[in-house]
Amino acid sequence: TWQAPRNVRYGAVWWLFLRFIAGANDPAPPGLFDRAIPILCDLARNDRYKEIRQTATLTLGRVGTYSPEALQVMLRALNSTDRDRIKAGAKWFYQYPIDSERVVPLLVKGFENPFARGDCAMPLRVYGTRGEFSVERLETLAKTNDPDISPVAAWVLEAIKPKAAKQGGVK
């Protein structure tokens, strides 16, 4: 029997995250991440400890491949108030630009968190014209003096609506 199952779950999830980051320097066994996705989704949704749910969500955002379960976890992450979870969801949707009707409004909502703005803007670029209703907000962010968001917002705006970027003097 495990003496500390909570610590084992927490350590295993972080180990997956670190294995992904190691990438080419220390490649993971083939199929490891694909096999881990259902477990990460279950931990992100159901673990009784907040830090394990959060760590599983962060790992899923970085490592996760598409699955209906992962989609639900990432939608919940984007809709949270926690900047790390929002960022994890944004990174995942950058890789999987699906369900624009639900995702794009959540990405725009993420602009409310100053630490997640750039991460939420990036996926809007891959959503392209499906993110058009974010143009006004992106124009405002692009014209700020904030070096973390201004260039990202201008870059995204250029992809969504290049004419608006030029007319607004953003480019």
Side-chain angles (χ1 to χ4, degrees), residues 2-17 39-40 42-44 46-53 55-56 59:
W2 293 103
Q3 296 300 310
R6 175 184 182 178
N7 293 341
V8 170
R9 288 192 314 276
Y10 187 72
V13 171
W14 269 120
W15 181 84
L16 281 168
F17 185 86
I39 297 163
L40 288 170
D42 183 56
L43 291 172
N46 300 318
D47 201 275
R48 65 180 171 169
Y49 298 105
K50 180 182 178 181
E51 69 272 9
I52 294 173
R53 288 191 311 270
T55 305
T59 302

Side-chain angles (χ1 to χ4, degrees), residues 1-155:
T1 54
W2 293 103
Q3 296 300 310
R6 175 184 182 178
N7 293 341
V8 170
R9 288 192 314 276
Y10 187 72
V13 171
W14 269 120
W15 181 84
L16 281 168
F17 185 86
L18 294 174
R19 284 301 295 229
F20 182 78
I21 291 175
N25 296 332
D26 187 17
L32 173 70
F33 298 122
D34 289 335
R35 290 190 313 268
I37 299 307
I39 297 163
L40 288 170
C41 289
D42 183 56
L43 291 172
R45 284 191 316 259
N46 300 318
D47 201 275
R48 65 180 171 169
Y49 298 105
K50 180 182 178 181
E51 69 272 9
I52 294 173
R53 288 191 311 270
Q54 182 166 0
T55 305
T57 301
L58 298 178
T59 302
L60 187 61
R62 183 67 64 122
V63 170
T65 56
Y66 175 80
S67 74
E69 297 81 17
L71 171 64
Q72 294 308 311
V73 170
M74 292 295 105
L75 283 169
R76 209 168 65 208
L78 267 185
N79 201 28
S80 77
T81 56
D82 179 84
R83 75 174 180 183
D84 292 327
R85 291 180 69 209
I86 295 168
K87 291 169 99 168
K91 286 180 191 320
W92 193 85
F93 284 107
Y94 186 81
Q95 293 177 17
Y96 304 101
I98 55 174
D99 202 356
S100 60
E101 295 79 24
R102 287 194 290 178
V103 174
V104 171
L106 293 175
L107 290 168
V108 173
K109 179 185 171 209
F111 292 162
E112 295 169 12
N113 186 318
F115 300 106
R117 286 180 180 155
D119 292 289
C120 287
M122 296 287 285
L124 290 171
R125 184 171 173 88
V126 293
Y127 277 95
T129 57
R130 294 177 287 168
E132 250 186 71
F133 75 87
S134 65
V135 166
E136 186 176 318
R137 184 71 171 121
L138 285 166
E139 285 176 327
T140 302
L141 291 172
K143 292 178 182 178
T144 69
N145 291 329
D146 184 341
D148 293 327
I149 187 60
S150 181
V152 173
W155 181 67

